[in-house]
Amino acid sequence: MTLFRQIYTLLFVLFLLVVASLGYVQFSETQSFLTKQMESDLNNTSHSLGIMLVPDLEAGDIVGAETLINVIFEGGYYQQVKLTWLVDGKQQVWENPVTIEGVPQWFIDLGLFKTIKRESTITSGWIQLARLEITAHPGFGYHELWRTMTNAIIVFSILFLIAIISARVGLTWILKPLHDIAEHAKEIANRKFGPDMQVPKTVELKSVVQAFNSMSDQLKQIFNSLDEEVGELRKKNLVDQVSGLPNRQYMMGRLNSWLSEPKSGALMMAKFDWLEEVHSKYGYQVRDETIKLLSDKMKQHLDGVATSVITRIAAYEFAFLITSSEHELTSKYLQTLIRTINQEISKAGCKPNEQFAIGIAERTGQMTVTDILAQADNALQKSLQENKVFHWFETSEKQLFTREQWREHLSNAITDGKFKFKWQPILLNQTESILQRELYCQLEINGKMVHAGQFMPYVELLSLGSLLDRCLIKTIHSKKLLDRNFEPVAVNLTFQSISDKEFHQWLDKFLRTSTLRERFCFDIPEAAVYSDPEACQALCAIIRDNGAHFGIDHFGRQFGSMTYLQNIRPSYVKLDQSFAYYDDNAHSSELCRALINVAKGLDIEVIATGVEQETQLKRFALLKTNAYMGFISPPVAVE
């Protein structure tokens, strides 16, 4: 029982006792008063009637005496009048059939008033004429007592209702700070650190509110310090101090992560020998300042062309990873890069289109990090040998289909639901039991199985993401994949679905009608949280309100604050696969541990991804992750 109900019940009982006590006192006093009043009235009537009967009794006028008694008897509440003549012993009795109107019979049957009689002798001088006996009728007492108590109950009831309503309103107002404290405590328990509560005027609650505000501020500072620690460790381990760009270690991790995802794009490697000339002419300070300015300009100009990762991998070497693009967009990116470099070369006093070279390798088919690095480096060396500004690595592999053919195949597959599925178990560290299964889709075209890495780039390019996600979710439901196991099934949402309000409405309606919605998990890429936070929060609210679950994919990939975790409250996060490939040194472990502590500090499960070897699994186990996934436990066909 809540404190409000306890206090309210106590006040209710106390007021009920007070009202009952007042009612009892009122009842007793009224009953006593009416009894005395009936006794007094009976005495007065007996005395008065005795005096009035003397003349008639002396004269022997029986008719006159009867008339007088009838007048008195009929005008009052008397049950019986008995007159006995002492001369001859003759007795005359008057009975009154008076009924009590307006009083319930059960009240009369309580017998609240005793029978009251008065007997007197009528005399004339020393001569006794007759004996008069009068019995009072209790109707007057019952009638007045019932009327008085009925009015009192009505008044008490009104006062009782007013008092109870006033007590409820008053208690609600008085205990509002306590309710706020309870809600604030729940938010703190859920790792939500909102604004401080307003300090109430109640002395007893003031210290409690101040203590909670202090505790909330301290926990917020702890979380912020963890977030700052992550930022500092990233700068120390993954950022080049001169350029402010990510370093070689970060690029290697991103390459591994990028090649494990269904993406398209290209890798460019560039060597800027003109920076050596700047160094020889002006010294290392000017060279470093030139590198910083060049890095800022490249980020400024290239980010508007395509999504990319720009890194400094050596003193005068840079790498550009375009994570999603076709040949035309890559060419545009290359031209923008060359133009930006020439502008900075001119500012440094060097000749444009000289002393720098770029090698480009496009992602094709199933590639490893070694493959694409070798191709990009080969193209760079070719550019240096031929003294050209850039060189494309030539590949003999042909595209499966043209863009329009992909549009036709994908549109038909989405319309007809032709996708086939694999799922990969996510295993708990301690028990090896399955936490959830992540779903992957494949597509059979002209008798050949095409994996997601081949068609997903065209799904994004052709803006078919939300249609594909709808198709996959409906197929999961129609094929009853959720009924095959008790574990939840994780679905990777595309960027388009996260920003598509129509998809939000459709998903809300779908989850409301699904009986197994609690087994749906939706993976949201961390990049989407930073690029469109409002749409992401709206989608997360829909998923949470309908009883499904969601998590953050590629957690820790973006260089940004982790405070978004407090706003969207995911059930789990999946560490970016790049953490599985970082050097196994103390600094990398510190960064990974700090990221994990940020999530676990908010009671969010942490899943390690990209685990392929036992050594990687042991390293993540030491970092206290909850579960893991990777080709150490590969995907299997759903069928």
Side-chain angles (χ1 to χ4, degrees):
M1 184 182 291
T2 62
L3 179 62
F4 175 84
R5 290 187 177 180
Q6 291 178 354
I7 297 176
Y8 190 69
T9 303
L10 178 63
L11 292 177
F12 182 87
V13 172
L14 289 176
F15 195 79
L16 194 62
L17 288 174
V18 171
V19 170
S21 300
L22 290 175
Y24 177 76
V25 171
Q26 177 74 14
F27 179 82
S28 300
E29 291 297 323
T30 303
Q31 182 187 20
S32 176
F33 173 76
L34 291 174
T35 300
K36 291 178 180 179
Q37 187 174 3
M38 287 191 294
E39 289 177 350
S40 176
D41 181 68
L42 191 60
N43 289 333
N44 293 335
T45 302
S46 178
H47 182 71
S48 301
L49 185 58
I51 294 173
M52 288 186 292
L53 285 173
V54 170
D56 293 328
L57 293 176
E58 287 179 339
D61 187 358
I62 298 174
V63 176
E66 289 179 354
T67 302
L68 185 61
I69 291 174
N70 284 333
V71 171
I72 297 297
F73 189 66
E74 293 175 0
Y77 280 93
Y78 306 107
Q79 189 172 352
Q80 185 184 71
V81 175
K82 186 186 295 182
L83 181 65
T84 303
W85 300 78
L86 297 178
V87 176
D88 53 5
K90 182 181 178 182
Q91 190 178 66
Q92 200 165 356
V93 179
W94 286 263
E95 298 283 350
N96 188 0
V98 177
T99 57
I100 305 174
E101 296 181 358
V103 180
Q105 186 61 41
W106 63 266
F107 188 72
I108 299 172
D109 294 339
L110 295 176
L112 301 174
F113 295 99
K114 298 179 181 180
T115 302
I116 303 175
K117 293 182 179 181
R118 287 294 179 268
E119 185 176 337
S120 61
T121 301
I122 301 174
T123 59
S124 177
W126 296 98
I127 302 173
Q128 295 181 343
L129 300 176
R131 188 167 58 252
L132 179 66
E133 181 180 315
I134 303 176
T135 303
H137 196 288
F140 171 75
Y142 282 111
H143 186 273
E144 290 300 314
L145 183 61
W146 175 256
R147 184 184 63 81
T148 302
M149 293 311 300
T150 301
N151 292 338
I153 289 172
I154 293 173
V155 172
F156 285 155
S157 298
I158 294 172
L159 292 176
F160 184 77
L161 289 174
I162 293 173
I164 289 300
I165 294 172
S166 300
R168 187 175 185 86
V169 174
L171 276 177
T172 302
W173 180 74
I174 293 172
L175 295 179
K176 185 180 183 301
L178 197 60
H179 174 74
D180 294 341
I181 291 173
E183 293 299 320
H184 198 67
K186 291 178 182 177
E187 290 185 354
I188 292 176
N190 292 327
R191 313 308 198 272
K192 294 181 180 179
F193 311 120
D196 289 345
M197 292 183 293
Q198 185 177 359
V199 179
K201 296 181 180 180
T202 308
V203 177
E204 291 80 2
L205 295 178
K206 185 182 295 183
S207 58
V208 178
V209 169
Q210 290 174 342
F212 266 91
N213 286 340
S214 176
M215 181 173 63
S216 178
D217 290 339
Q218 291 177 14
L219 290 174
K220 191 187 302 182
Q221 290 176 6
I222 291 173
F223 179 82
N224 291 337
S225 65
L226 286 173
D227 192 30
E228 292 173 1
E229 181 184 356
V230 170
E232 291 300 322
L233 288 172
R234 277 175 171 163
K235 290 180 182 178
K236 183 188 298 183
N237 300 321
L238 303 177
V239 176
D240 175 65
Q241 299 304 313
V242 176
S243 64
L245 296 173
N247 58 19
R248 185 182 188 87
Q249 182 179 357
Y250 181 80
M251 173 57 77
M252 295 302 294
R254 280 302 302 270
L255 279 173
N256 277 285
S257 179
W258 175 60
L259 292 173
S260 66
E261 300 170 13
K263 295 282 187 179
S264 61
L267 175 65
M268 298 183 184
M269 295 184 68
K271 188 176 181 182
F272 301 150
D273 290 332
W274 62 275
L275 291 172
E276 178 62 32
E277 183 180 345
V278 173
H279 183 200
S280 62
K281 286 183 179 180
Y282 307 108
Y284 74 92
Q285 290 183 337
V286 175
R287 181 203 62 184
D288 290 350
E289 183 64 26
T290 303
I291 291 174
K292 182 68 173 66
L293 291 172
L294 174 64
S295 301
D296 292 341
K297 290 297 182 181
M298 288 191 299
K299 286 193 295 183
Q300 178 183 346
H301 294 157
L302 297 176
D303 284 349
V305 179
T307 303
S308 64
V309 180
I310 307 171
T311 60
R312 186 187 182 205
I313 57 177
Y316 304 127
E317 293 185 16
F318 290 75
F320 305 83
L321 175 61
I322 310 173
T323 56
S324 181
S325 69
E326 281 190 307
H327 184 82
E328 293 179 2
L329 185 59
T330 304
S331 297
K332 183 178 178 183
Y333 187 95
L334 175 62
Q335 296 303 320
T336 306
L337 174 60
I338 293 172
R339 185 169 58 252
T340 304
I341 295 170
N342 281 326
Q343 289 174 356
E344 297 306 311
I345 287 177
S346 299
K347 292 178 183 178
C350 301
K351 294 181 179 180
N353 292 322
E354 291 186 6
Q355 294 184 294
F356 75 91
I358 303 171
I360 308 103
E362 292 186 287
R363 178 177 174 179
T364 56
Q366 296 287 343
M367 300 183 72
T368 65
V369 174
T370 304
D371 294 335
I372 197 164
L373 283 174
Q375 291 181 7
D377 185 65
N378 183 283
L380 176 61
Q381 297 305 319
K382 193 77 171 175
S383 176
L384 289 169
Q385 291 171 6
E386 298 177 358
N387 197 25
K388 293 181 178 179
V389 172
F390 65 89
H391 180 80
W392 291 79
F393 181 84
E394 297 179 1
T395 176
S396 58
E397 185 172 344
K398 296 181 179 180
Q399 291 186 348
L400 287 175
F401 306 104
T402 64
R403 181 188 295 191
E404 291 306 315
Q405 287 174 330
W406 273 118
R407 184 190 299 275
E408 181 181 356
H409 288 307
L410 290 171
S411 298
N412 292 336
I414 291 172
T415 303
D416 301 334
K418 294 180 179 179
F419 294 95
K420 297 183 180 296
F421 296 102
K422 285 186 175 182
W423 51 23
Q424 185 172 23
I426 298 175
L427 305 174
L428 292 168
N429 286 345
Q430 302 297 329
T431 62
E432 295 293 323
S433 58
I434 297 176
L435 175 66
Q436 58 179 239
R437 297 175 185 270
E438 184 166 329
L439 204 67
Y440 301 101
C441 60
Q442 295 177 314
L443 181 59
E444 186 176 351
I445 302 177
N446 300 330
K448 182 179 180 180
M449 193 63 67
V450 180
H451 57 81
Q454 294 171 287
F455 65 76
M456 280 304 297
Y458 291 93
V459 169
E460 295 182 1
L461 183 65
L462 299 171
S463 300
L464 298 174
S466 59
L467 292 177
L468 174 64
D469 287 342
R470 290 193 195 191
C471 172
L472 297 181
I473 294 171
K474 289 191 289 187
T475 305
I476 291 171
H477 183 266
S478 62
K479 291 188 175 182
K480 299 183 179 180
L481 299 187
L482 298 176
D483 294 332
R484 300 194 181 190
N485 297 280
F486 292 106
E487 302 89 12
V489 173
V491 180
N492 290 280
L493 294 179
T494 61
F495 282 83
Q496 186 184 358
S497 294
I498 294 168
S499 302
D500 188 355
K501 292 184 178 180
E502 290 185 5
F503 177 80
H504 292 190
Q505 296 173 356
W506 176 86
L507 183 62
D508 184 29
K509 184 178 180 181
F510 173 83
L511 291 176
R512 289 181 186 278
T513 57
S514 175
T515 57
L516 297 175
R517 50 184 172 268
E518 71 281 355
R519 294 191 192 173
F520 271 105
C521 293
F522 299 95
D523 289 355
I524 299 172
E526 188 181 53
V529 180
Y530 287 102
S531 63
D532 196 349
E534 293 183 359
C536 188
Q537 287 188 35
L539 179 62
C540 292
I542 289 172
I543 296 171
R544 184 191 302 107
D545 293 344
N546 283 290
H549 307 279
F550 66 91
I552 301 300
D553 203 8
H554 312 307
F555 177 66
R557 173 184 290 184
Q558 305 299 314
F559 283 87
S561 173
M562 302 285 104
T563 53
Y564 71 85
L565 294 174
Q566 296 185 64
N567 298 326
I568 62 176
R569 311 297 300 170
S571 301
Y572 58 90
V573 293
K574 292 180 177 178
L575 286 172
D576 189 59
Q577 290 192 23
S578 58
F579 289 101
Y581 303 104
Y582 285 161
D583 295 336
D584 190 10
N585 56 46
H587 294 304
S588 298
S589 296
E590 285 178 14
L591 174 58
C592 198
R593 189 188 304 277
L595 276 170
I596 292 169
N597 288 339
V598 168
K600 299 195 77 170
L602 296 172
D603 198 26
I604 299 170
E605 291 184 325
V606 180
I607 300 170
T609 63
V611 179
E612 297 182 359
Q613 302 171 356
E614 287 291 335
T615 54
Q616 292 174 318
L617 179 58
K618 290 178 181 179
R619 179 156 61 89
F620 281 120
L622 291 174
L623 295 174
K624 307 297 184 183
T625 56
N626 299 95
Y628 66 93
M629 64 177 293
F631 277 88
I632 195 171
S633 179
V636 295
V638 172
E639 289 78 14

